Amino acid sequence: MNKEQLVSTIKSKKTFLCVGLDTDIKKIPQFLLAEEDPIFAFNKAIIDSTAKYCMAYKPNLAFYESMGLKGMSAFEKTVKYLKSNYPQHFIIADAKRGDIGNTSTMYARSFFEELDVDSLTVAPYMGKDSVSPFLAYEGKWVILLALTSNVGSQDFQLITDNDGTPLFERVMRRAMEWADSEKLMFVVGATQGRMFEKIRQIAPDNFLLVPGVGAQGGSLDEVCKYGLTPDCGLIVNSSRGIIYASADENYAIAAADAAHAVQQQMEAILKNI
Amino acid sequence: MNKEQLVSTIKSKKTFLCVGLDTDIKKIPQFLLAEEDPIFAFNKAIIDSTAKYCMAYKPNLAFYESMGLKGMSAFEKTVKYLKSNYPQHFIIADAKRGDIGNTSTMYARSFFEELDVDSLTVAPYMGKDSVSPFLAYEGKWVILLALTSNVGSQDFQLITDNDGTPLFERVMRRAMEWADSEKLMFVVGATQGRMFEKIRQIAPDNFLLVPGVGAQGGSLDEVCKYGLTPDCGLIVNSSRGIIYASADENYAIAAADAAHAVQQQMEAILKNI
């Protein structure tokens, strides 16, 4: 999916919500455990009920890997289900991969050829040759970690070099030499608040994937105040606040309601750009 | 496996060689494709022929993930085979994971409970709460990326802060506040040569996992000259140079010969500590 299609989807659907499929067998409604594949059954129901209100889904690989082969099978089925039934939805594999060149090439093959997702989150620590294999695919996106939503983001991402430039800025500026805003997004946590102003000075045109609204405490209004561009430029993720809105039989309806509420906030925000 | 056991294994086997199981279906001998599980068949033969000469195995997850469920099944079978047949060998899952706390907890559960490997490579960019869930397991190890073997290591790892301290050093010093040398190792690429002198000033007691000898061009002698400690303190990995020593029917024997040659170098080196 290219940038033009992404912007067009956001504007026509009036939403820039991504639903995070952090599906944990311990948190899904317990009656689903009777299903042959409880994780996929949960994801399918969540997708069917929320698809109208969001433009992207982000399965987090850790949740699937932690269940071994059954988990990975549920992950693959989820991606296939999305591609067959909701081809306009943008799929983000949240895997935070990054390794030496020949290994990143293997990961790129896995995510962009075998699974054929639209985008992958990538960790920057190992530098250019760990990222560039992911940039070799037309219509696919690298979403590079820049300034994350967790407390530990302060440990290294904010270290300033001898010019006073923080590491996350060095990461962004360097990565922008490797690819333009048609292939490169950045992860910036919603908990970073005012930092979005700085981020937009560095990267005025790049889409940002913004986790941390909801359970992690970030504010949608603040993110939009500083982060929004004429193209929207934001994909805001909510995981736990939507998929675990209820643990009862009405879980899918509750998830739809939660997603709808966020979508309405987003529709109001999009009117002003 | 604790540090004492690790040191004792190295000293009694007279080797600190780790064989990297970067098993690529395109590179293994083609007659193995007739096997039900060619990847596992290859790994099993390589393990049986090299176990005598090494003290660790390091499957790189990317190579297994890129083959989908079949690949992940081969990975699990390999770990189980090692645990059943070679329980004294140290198993490193080379996955370079790292995510926000609740996600790293899922990864920790996956690698240290389900698979029960001894150690995992972890990426530091997201800071303390992305690493600490992996440190909560007794007898398990975090192997944190510090100064990697690839060209891209220069992009960010060598950036100096306003005190002149490079990022990799900040990462090491900070991580050493989180765990001692009984649970924490660092990845330092063999291609970094003289930098091992600096690394040993920072972390005199921590084990280092050293990739990059062989195909990537690092020198074992140089690594040992500056990196060796009285406890050895090094696990030196070779992947392609051993497992792809031959693509013929004699591939397992060729791998054993290659591993044996490295082990003999290591035995000579260990005599001097």
Side-chain angles (χ1 to χ4, degrees):
Chain A
M1 191 181 292
N2 65 30
K3 194 175 175 185
E4 197 187 329
Q5 292 166 320
L6 198 60
V7 174
S8 153
T9 301
I10 289 171
K11 294 199 170 170
S12 66
K13 294 194 72 178
K14 301 181 175 59
T15 179
F16 47 100
L17 173 63
C18 174
V19 173
L21 298 170
D22 295 6
T23 309
D24 184 345
I25 194 100
K26 294 183 179 164
K27 287 191 186 157
I28 65 176
Q30 293 304 294
F31 67 89
L32 286 175
L33 301 182
E35 298 277 338
E36 195 193 326
D37 185 341
I39 296 294
F40 177 65
F42 177 82
N43 284 355
K44 184 175 174 303
I46 293 285
I47 290 165
D48 288 338
S49 69
T50 58
K52 211 167 132 181
Y53 307 118
C54 68
M55 40 64 70
Y57 287 99
K58 180 175 77 64
N60 184 322
L61 269 287
F63 288 78
Y64 301 88
E65 285 185 28
S66 69
M67 286 175 297
L69 294 179
K70 273 186 298 187
M72 291 310 291
S73 163
F75 170 71
E76 287 193 16
K77 277 196 271 183
T78 301
V79 170
K80 277 183 193 153
Y81 184 75
L82 281 168
K83 293 188 72 74
S84 302
N85 296 279
Y86 302 97
Q88 287 192 324
H89 282 69
F90 189 74
I91 307 177
I92 302 167
D94 192 6
K96 302 187 176 67
R97 297 297 192 260
D99 208 311
I100 64 169
N102 78 321
T103 306
S104 277
T105 299
M106 297 301 278
Y107 277 130
R109 205 187 285 173
S110 169
F111 287 102
F112 290 159
E113 293 182 33
E114 304 287 325
L115 284 159
D116 198 19
V117 297
D118 297 297
S119 63
L120 182 76
T121 56
V122 176
Y125 191 73
M126 293 181 70
K128 183 176 181 180
D129 59 299
S130 71
V131 178
S132 43
F134 299 108
L135 293 168
Y137 290 81
E138 205 54 48
K140 304 292 187 191
W141 296 77
V142 162
I143 310 183
L144 196 67
L145 299 185
L147 191 55
T148 57
S149 58
N150 61 324
V151 178
S153 65
Q154 296 178 24
D155 287 326
F156 305 122
Q157 297 164 23
L158 296 181
I159 291 177
T160 50
D161 64 15
N162 40 22
D163 295 333
T165 310
L167 177 62
F168 80 86
E169 181 173 345
R170 287 284 291 261
V171 165
M172 291 177 69
R173 292 198 189 277
R174 187 65 64 91
M176 290 167 74
E177 295 167 10
W178 307 334
D180 63 19
S181 68
E182 296 283 334
K183 288 186 102 37
L184 180 67
M185 302 188 188
F186 295 106
V187 174
V188 181
T191 49
Q192 301 293 347
R194 273 300 284 269
M195 293 296 274
F196 276 83
E197 202 171 6
K198 173 81 178 160
I199 298 278
R200 276 299 173 216
Q201 287 166 9
I202 304 166
D205 298 322
N206 293 75
F207 260 87
L208 308 178
L209 171 64
V210 185
V213 164
Q216 293 182 60
S219 148
L220 180 63
D221 283 335
E222 200 175 26
V223 166
C224 292
K225 184 171 174 187
Y226 301 109
L228 215 61
T229 72
D231 276 345
C232 178
L234 298 172
I235 298 175
V236 172
N237 183 77
S238 178
S239 302
R240 290 169 269 180
I242 291 177
I243 68 173
Y244 301 130
S246 160
D248 299 333
E249 288 195 3
N250 69 343
Y251 72 100
I253 296 166
D257 290 344
H260 191 190
V262 180
Q263 183 275 324
Q264 288 189 308
Q265 276 183 275
M266 289 177 167
E267 184 169 343
I269 289 165
L270 286 169
K271 274 189 188 140
N272 299 322
I273 65 171
Chain B
M1 191 180 294
N2 64 30
K3 194 176 175 185
E4 198 186 329
Q5 292 166 321
L6 198 60
V7 174
S8 153
T9 302
I10 289 171
K11 293 198 171 171
S12 65
K13 294 193 71 177
K14 300 181 174 63
T15 179
F16 47 101
L17 173 63
C18 173
V19 173
L21 298 170
D22 295 5
T23 309
D24 184 344
I25 194 100
K26 294 183 180 165
K27 287 190 186 159
I28 64 176
Q30 293 305 293
F31 67 88
L32 285 175
L33 300 182
E35 298 278 337
E36 195 192 327
D37 185 340
I39 296 294
F40 177 65
F42 178 82
N43 284 355
K44 183 174 173 303
I46 293 286
I47 290 165
D48 289 338
S49 68
T50 58
K52 210 168 132 182
Y53 308 118
C54 69
M55 41 64 69
Y57 286 99
K58 181 175 75 65
N60 184 323
L61 270 287
F63 287 79
Y64 301 88
E65 285 184 27
S66 70
M67 285 176 298
L69 294 179
K70 272 185 300 186
M72 291 311 290
S73 164
F75 170 71
E76 288 194 16
K77 277 196 271 182
T78 301
V79 170
K80 278 183 193 155
Y81 185 75
L82 281 169
K83 292 188 72 72
S84 303
N85 297 279
Y86 302 97
Q88 288 192 323
H89 282 70
F90 188 74
I91 307 177
I92 302 167
D94 193 5
K96 302 186 176 69
R97 298 297 192 260
D99 208 312
I100 64 169
N102 79 320
T103 307
S104 277
T105 300
M106 298 300 278
Y107 278 129
R109 205 186 285 173
S110 168
F111 287 102
F112 290 159
E113 294 182 33
E114 305 287 324
L115 283 159
D116 198 21
V117 297
D118 297 296
S119 63
L120 182 77
T121 56
V122 176
Y125 191 74
M126 293 181 71
K128 182 176 181 181
D129 59 295
S130 70
V131 178
S132 43
F134 299 108
L135 293 168
Y137 291 80
E138 206 52 49
K140 303 293 187 190
W141 296 77
V142 162
I143 310 182
L144 196 67
L145 300 185
L147 190 55
T148 56
S149 58
N150 61 323
V151 179
S153 66
Q154 296 178 25
D155 287 327
F156 305 122
Q157 297 164 23
L158 295 181
I159 291 176
T160 51
D161 64 16
N162 39 25
D163 295 332
T165 310
L167 177 63
F168 80 85
E169 181 174 344
R170 287 283 292 261
V171 165
M172 291 177 70
R173 292 197 188 275
R174 187 64 65 92
M176 289 167 74
E177 295 166 11
W178 308 333
D180 63 20
S181 68
E182 296 282 335
K183 288 186 102 36
L184 180 67
M185 303 188 187
F186 295 106
V187 173
V188 181
T191 49
Q192 301 294 347
R194 273 299 285 268
M195 293 297 273
F196 276 83
E197 202 171 6
K198 172 81 177 160
I199 298 277
R200 276 298 174 215
Q201 287 165 9
I202 304 166
D205 298 322
N206 294 75
F207 260 86
L208 307 177
L209 171 64
V210 185
V213 164
Q216 293 182 62
S219 148
L220 179 63
D221 283 335
E222 199 175 27
V223 166
C224 293
K225 184 170 174 190
Y226 301 109
L228 214 60
T229 71
D231 277 345
C232 179
L234 298 172
I235 298 175
V236 171
N237 182 78
S238 176
S239 302
R240 289 170 269 180
I242 291 177
I243 69 173
Y244 300 131
S246 160
D248 299 334
E249 289 196 1
N250 70 343
Y251 71 100
I253 296 166
D257 290 345
H260 191 191
V262 180
Q263 183 274 325
Q264 288 189 308
Q265 275 184 276
M266 289 177 168
E267 183 170 343
I269 289 165
L270 286 170
K271 274 189 189 139
N272 300 321
I273 64 170

